[in-house]
Amino acid sequence: MKRYFGSSGVRGVVGEFITTDLAMKLGLGLATQLGEGSSVVIGRDTRTSGEMLESALVSGLLSGGCNTELIGIFPTPGVAYLAKALSKDAGIMITASHNPPPYNGFKFFSKHGVAFLPEMEQRLEEILISNAFNYANWERIGSVKKSNSTSPYFSMLYDFSFKKKWRVVLDPGCGAASVVAPLVFRNVGCDVIALNSQVDGHFPARSSEPIKENLQGLMEAVSGLGADIGIAYDGDADRMVAIDEQGNFVPSDKLLALFALFMITQEEDPNKEKIIALPINTSDATDEYVRESGGKVIRTKVGDVYISQALLEHNGIFGGEPIGAWIHPQYHLCPDGILSSLLLLKFLDEMDSPISELIKNVPDRCKVSLKIKCKNELKPSVMEYVKKTLPSQFDATENILHLDGIRIDLKDGWILIRPSGTEPLMRVTTEAKEQTQAEKLLEIGKRVVEEALTTV
Ligand code: MG
């Protein structure tokens, strides 16, 4: 298990795991990894600790001889995109994504705009753990440039146009999409109403996690204002979810199915295999729908980096996670909330249909999940116990997958138990055609994890 990196960069509570000391070491470590004379682009979300961590990170980078370009508050996918577009050696985003306000962290992107692969993280970890830092000579110390050279990212987003003037309610939740999303949607000709789009790292309006329970205000605004659609982003705008024109939350597995269908219909090469990369916690209904629409599903571990990797490896056309992270490799390989919301609107525009009609074709399933607190150091032994014990809880199992945690497919549903990659939690997810069956499976999963926690 890595000491610093989780499944989505380095993340934790500010003042505890995430400190200025760590930020400086990460900066110096990355400069050592990239070499003197290298250059990086850095952005941050709206968290109160962002500037503090940025300063320390930059100090570390400069002392290792790396040149830095600071673009300030900006969406994570924008930083990833600019790392490649501005020909940098890497991109760094200071963010804790959807985590509560006391958290912050660092996401690293390669010069290709792809999240650091495990081996690149491993190399940076090794430098940090062994203190094998390279301090640049005084003549080779890096430079700082505060810049607004963000136009390549905006150019990509401004390239959209629509037949209809769509009335859109946007809810960035005071996060990194606050400035960019309303600007982009107005520029491409939409009638925009923006909620919670003041930059505020306390996230006073709602939690930065874009889940149904947090989006009551947006749902009411969409139906009350007669809008066509509502869009909510997470704290760093790599995730988006949608509200239909009646003010109902669109289940993310169904949204995933719609994106897959759109990308399958957009593919012009009839001979190209239409590969869709989906993580192990995706609904079976989405799988079925993708297959029936002419796509081929590839299963991945949970985490956008694994989806990006699978898309690269298999030349896939779309990948997504049901938490609202959608990857469109035709544009770039980082999940992108603003790009995805434009693509969704493009699909509605082409189909000339409200979103509530389009999702009717995706089969229904009941999916439930819960999280149980578990210290990071206990996760391996808890998982060992769960892997040994869980299969024996069922009379008959159809398939057992160890791709990420343990997933057991049953005749009437499935259960997945896996450690969170970003928080001290175990996650239990189940799905069935009936709600009662999904909840029954969830109870079994909960009991097994709780037993494990008392045993280890
Ligand atoms: Mg995020």
Side-chain angles (χ1 to χ4, degrees):
M1 200 170 180
K2 294 195 188 106
R3 195 187 295 179
Y4 295 100
F5 282 86
S7 63
S8 198
V10 177
R11 203 184 290 180
V13 174
V14 174
E16 293 177 15
F17 179 59
I18 300 294
T19 60
T20 45
D21 285 0
L22 176 63
M24 198 160 71
K25 276 176 85 173
L26 282 167
L28 180 54
L30 184 68
T32 304
Q33 186 173 3
L34 298 176
E36 288 181 15
S38 55
S39 65
V40 298
V41 58
I42 301 171
R44 56 185 159 85
D45 69 15
T46 58
R47 286 164 199 276
T48 56
S49 53
E51 276 185 302
M52 172 188 84
L53 294 171
E54 182 189 71
S55 303
L57 178 75
V58 168
S59 283
L61 286 159
L62 299 181
S63 65
C66 180
N67 301 314
T68 58
E69 186 160 343
L70 314 183
I71 55 169
I73 293 173
F74 210 63
T76 291
V79 172
Y81 190 84
L82 291 171
K84 184 177 177 188
L86 300 175
S87 304
K88 299 292 176 185
D89 297 293
I92 310 172
M93 179 70 186
I94 303 168
T95 179
S97 188
H98 62 278
N99 287 163
Y103 283 72
N104 212 335
F106 307 88
K107 278 189 106 167
F108 296 86
F109 295 93
S110 73
K111 62 181 177 182
H112 306 294
V114 182
F116 263 27
L117 299 175
E119 51 270 29
M120 296 165 84
E121 293 179 344
Q122 188 68 44
R123 174 73 192 118
L124 185 49
E125 288 243 339
E126 282 163 13
I127 295 169
L128 261 62
I129 290 165
S130 60
N131 279 312
F133 299 118
N134 171 58
Y135 289 92
N137 180 283
W138 69 272
E139 295 167 294
R140 306 264 304 159
I141 289 169
S143 62
V144 190
K145 182 171 147 197
K146 290 207 173 178
S147 104
N148 49 8
S149 46
T150 51
S151 53
Y153 184 62
F154 283 104
S155 302
M156 172 184 67
L157 301 175
Y158 287 168
D159 208 24
F160 282 80
S161 58
F162 303 97
K163 289 181 251 176
K164 175 179 154 179
K165 190 169 183 78
W166 292 87
R167 188 165 166 82
V168 182
V169 187
L170 301 174
D171 178 357
C174 303
S178 294
V179 179
V180 178
L183 183 69
V184 168
F185 274 83
R186 286 192 181 113
N187 254 286
V188 297
C190 293
D191 175 11
V192 176
I193 300 146
L195 301 183
N196 310 323
S197 61
Q198 76 279 22
V199 164
D200 191 332
H202 298 91
F203 302 112
R206 64 163 171 89
S207 151
S208 58
E209 186 164 20
I211 52 174
K212 187 180 175 183
E213 298 78 73
N214 296 333
L215 300 175
Q216 205 56 43
L218 176 60
M219 292 192 266
E220 283 168 19
V222 172
S223 55
L225 297 168
D228 297 303
I229 192 169
I231 306 283
Y233 303 98
D234 76 331
D236 64 330
D238 59 350
R239 285 164 60 180
M240 61 79 49
V241 297
I243 307 297
D244 75 14
E245 74 288 355
Q246 293 155 11
N248 300 311
F249 184 84
V250 178
S252 297
D253 280 292
K254 294 198 175 193
L255 199 50
L256 177 51
L258 284 196
F259 275 123
L261 173 65
F262 186 36
M263 292 306 140
I264 289 167
T265 57
Q266 292 289 296
E267 182 52 55
E268 283 164 4
D269 180 356
N271 299 319
K272 184 172 174 179
E273 211 173 15
K274 296 164 186 74
I275 304 263
I276 309 288
L278 303 177
I280 195 165
N281 59 349
T282 309
S283 170
D284 279 350
T286 309
D287 268 33
E288 274 172 42
Y289 188 76
V290 167
R291 276 194 286 266
E292 281 162 16
S293 310
K296 182 181 172 192
V297 172
I298 299 237
R299 284 282 187 205
T300 73
K301 289 172 81 166
V302 177
D304 56 71
V305 63
Y306 301 110
I307 300 173
S308 302
Q309 250 180 302
L311 289 171
L312 262 179
E313 214 172 291
H314 300 279
N315 195 17
I317 59 166
F318 171 70
E321 281 198 281
I323 54 164
W326 323 115
I327 304 176
H328 306 280
Q330 301 84 345
Y331 295 87
H332 64 141
L333 278 157
C334 177
D336 190 325
I338 298 173
L339 170 69
S340 298
S341 43
L342 289 166
L343 280 164
L344 178 63
L345 206 55
K346 188 76 190 164
F347 189 35
L348 303 186
D349 199 58
E350 283 189 9
M351 301 299 286
D352 196 18
S353 169
I355 191 165
S356 64
E357 281 301 314
L358 293 179
I359 59 165
K360 276 187 186 158
N361 304 324
V362 187
D364 277 315
R365 287 288 193 287
C366 301
K367 191 154 103 169
V368 286
S369 63
L370 59 81
K371 32 197 186 186
I372 300 168
K373 280 191 179 146
C374 173
K375 286 185 182 148
N376 286 338
E377 59 270 27
L378 292 180
K379 285 174 178 172
S381 30
V382 166
M383 269 324 295
E384 202 180 316
Y385 180 92
V386 169
K387 282 181 181 175
K388 253 194 290 177
T389 315
L390 191 63
S392 63
Q393 308 297 310
F394 308 103
D395 296 334
T397 59
E398 296 209 327
N399 192 23
I400 300 183
L401 269 173
H402 291 287
L403 186 61
D404 190 354
I406 179 169
R407 171 172 157 152
I408 301 184
D409 291 333
L410 306 157
K411 196 163 170 283
D412 49 3
W414 54 263
I415 176 166
L416 170 70
I417 300 182
R418 51 177 289 275
S420 162
T422 53
E423 290 174 272
L425 299 171
M426 295 294 296
R427 293 186 189 279
V428 184
T429 309
T430 66
E431 185 183 84
K433 284 188 177 154
E434 303 296 330
Q435 183 77 16
T436 48
Q437 173 63 6
E439 279 166 11
K440 203 173 114 196
L441 293 174
L442 196 68
E443 261 320 297
I444 295 172
K446 182 176 173 227
R447 179 168 46 76
V448 171
V449 174
E450 283 172 353
E451 263 170 34
L453 280 164
T454 56
T455 314
V456 298

